[in-house]
Amino acid sequence: MIKAKKYIDFIFLALLGLSISVSLCLHFTEGFVLSINNYLALLSWIFVLLFKLIKPDKEFFGVLILLLLSTIGVINFTIITVNAELHHSESGFVYNGIGFNIIFFLLLIVYLVMNKRATSYIKILLRGSEKEQEEKRNKMINFYYEKFKVFGDQEFNELINNFDHYPVEAQVALNRIKAEKIN
């Protein structure tokens, strides 16, 4: 059985390539105007495709980056602009304004659902690695430990009475202090 997960990036690259090829055909046959965003999309698509072909096993989130950039309108794989803003520069170039492209947002959601590696990569970017999370947790436990260990018996009993209202790190520190006081 062929694992489809290996080919997810290539499937989405094919979809993006089909989209840009339709845009190029419309440009040459119907006279549609291509913006700088379309040319940037074509160049970035070629770069990601070549990288995936040369090093297919390498961890590379090029498709994720392409979908993110096209969702906010930095690059555009279609002639159709959802935000309907075309700007003309003084030098004669046409470019799209930054906006939200719902079509590519939906493609991004589908890609993230299908590609668990990309989802875990985003989680690491937002939360940090497990090692970083553990270090942060230990730092908070030590903070609460140092803060609570100087309290007297009456203050400490009040802390124990409100045990459930404190964050998990504070509860761990309180349990450690409580165990030390028993011993």
Side-chain angles (χ1 to χ4, degrees):
M1 184 173 150
I2 297 174
K3 292 187 177 182
K5 291 182 179 185
K6 285 176 66 174
Y7 301 104
I8 291 173
D9 285 348
F10 288 110
I11 291 168
F12 277 87
L13 280 172
L15 286 173
L16 295 175
L18 180 66
S19 179
I20 197 72
S21 63
V22 167
S23 297
L24 289 172
C25 286
L26 287 174
H27 170 68
F28 290 118
T29 60
E30 304 295 326
F32 281 87
V33 176
L34 292 178
S35 67
I36 292 174
N37 307 68
N38 296 111
Y39 292 114
L40 286 174
L42 177 62
L43 291 175
S44 58
W45 177 80
I46 291 170
F47 172 75
V48 171
L49 180 64
L50 288 176
F51 191 84
K52 281 305 271 185
L53 289 174
I54 292 170
K55 298 185 179 191
D57 296 333
K58 187 89 169 159
E59 283 289 327
F60 179 64
F61 297 101
V63 177
L64 177 66
I65 293 167
L66 289 178
L67 289 172
L68 283 171
L69 289 175
S70 59
T71 298
I72 60 173
V74 173
I75 59 175
N76 192 1
F77 288 97
T78 62
I79 287 187
I80 302 166
T81 58
V82 177
N83 59 356
E85 288 184 41
L86 281 177
H87 303 283
H88 299 274
S89 65
E90 292 178 11
S91 59
F93 291 110
V94 177
Y95 60 95
N96 298 93
I98 302 246
F100 182 75
N101 191 331
I102 189 72
I103 297 166
F104 286 99
F105 179 70
L106 293 174
L107 273 175
L108 177 65
I109 299 286
V110 170
Y111 179 76
L112 290 174
V113 167
M114 294 176 73
N115 191 344
K116 300 298 181 196
R117 290 179 311 162
T119 307
S120 64
Y121 179 71
I122 289 175
K123 286 180 184 175
I124 288 172
L125 282 177
L126 294 177
R127 295 184 193 156
S129 67
E130 289 182 24
K131 182 180 176 184
E132 291 171 342
Q133 290 177 10
E134 186 66 28
E135 288 174 0
K136 183 178 178 183
R137 184 175 180 272
N138 287 336
K139 185 178 177 182
M140 291 302 296
I141 290 171
N142 289 334
F143 167 77
Y144 285 117
Y145 177 79
E146 295 297 324
K147 182 177 180 181
F148 293 154
K149 78 176 184 180
V150 296
F151 286 2
D153 288 339
Q154 183 180 2
E155 293 169 320
F156 185 74
N157 288 335
E158 288 177 25
L159 292 173
I160 294 297
N161 290 337
N162 295 322
F163 185 80
D164 294 333
H165 299 289
Y166 291 105
V168 176
E169 292 85 2
Q171 293 175 3
V172 170
L174 285 170
N175 284 333
R176 188 189 305 170
I177 296 169
K178 189 176 178 183
E180 288 176 0
K181 287 189 177 201
I182 291 174
N183 293 333

